[in-house]
Amino acid sequence: VSTQSTGSSGINAEYGGQPVLIGGTMGTCSYVLTGTEKGMERTFGTTCHGAGRAYSRAKSRRNIDYLTVLQNLKDKGISIRVASPKLVMEEAPESYKNVTDVVDTCHGAGISDKCIKLRPVAVIKG
C-alpha cells in the first residue's frame, strides 16, 4: 500500500479491478480499493463505502468539544474551513468507526484489494 495525499469521498459500487474511493474522516486516512472477482461473485461488485458512524450526530454534539477537534487537526497538519462548530462536532473523527479496520476486513474477505492509503491535508465542510 503506497501513501498519497488527497481529499476523500465515499462510494460503494465496484466492478472487477475498478478503483473505488473509501472515505475516512476529516482527521484519518482514506483508501483506494479495487474490485475482485470474489467481490463480483459474493457481493454483486459492492464493498464498504466508509467506516460508518460510531456516534449519532446528536451524541457527537453532546460529547465532543469542537475546539479540541480543531486543535487535534491542527496538530496533524490538517487545515480546516467549516461553516459552524456544530459540523466540527458531528463530523469529528471520534464520531466514526476506524476506517482502517473496515477496509482491512473487506481486503481480508477478498471482496476488494487495498491499493493506496490517502492522508487528509485539508477539510472543507459546508
Side-chain angles (χ1 to χ4, degrees):
V1 176
S2 69
T3 303
Q4 302 291 320
S5 297
T6 189
S8 67
S9 176
I11 56 176
N12 69 348
E14 67 171 296
Y15 302 98
Q18 294 293 316
V20 293
L21 186 61
I22 308 303
T25 72
M26 61 184 171
T28 62
C29 60
S30 296
Y31 289 88
V32 176
L33 307 180
T34 55
T36 64
E37 287 300 318
K38 186 175 183 180
M40 288 300 292
E41 294 168 8
R42 296 199 173 177
T43 68
F44 303 104
T46 62
T47 191
C48 63
H49 66 275
R53 295 193 72 86
Y55 303 121
S56 69
R57 293 179 187 283
K59 185 173 182 179
S60 294
R61 286 192 305 271
R62 286 192 305 270
N63 296 300
I64 297 173
D65 175 55
Y66 81 97
L67 292 175
T68 301
V69 175
L70 293 177
Q71 186 60 52
N72 289 342
L73 294 173
K74 182 178 179 182
D75 292 346
K76 292 180 179 182
I78 301 169
S79 298
I80 182 168
R81 297 294 177 262
V82 66
S84 75
K86 176 181 156 184
L87 285 174
V88 173
M89 295 178 290
E90 290 177 354
E91 298 298 322
E94 305 90 312
S95 297
Y96 288 86
K97 298 173 191 169
N98 184 317
V99 70
T100 299
D101 292 345
V102 174
V103 165
D104 286 347
T105 298
C106 294
H107 180 82
I111 61 173
S112 41
D113 289 327
K114 291 190 284 186
C115 293
I116 302 171
K117 182 177 181 179
L118 308 163
R119 182 183 68 82
V121 295
V123 176
I124 300 171
K125 294 284 182 184

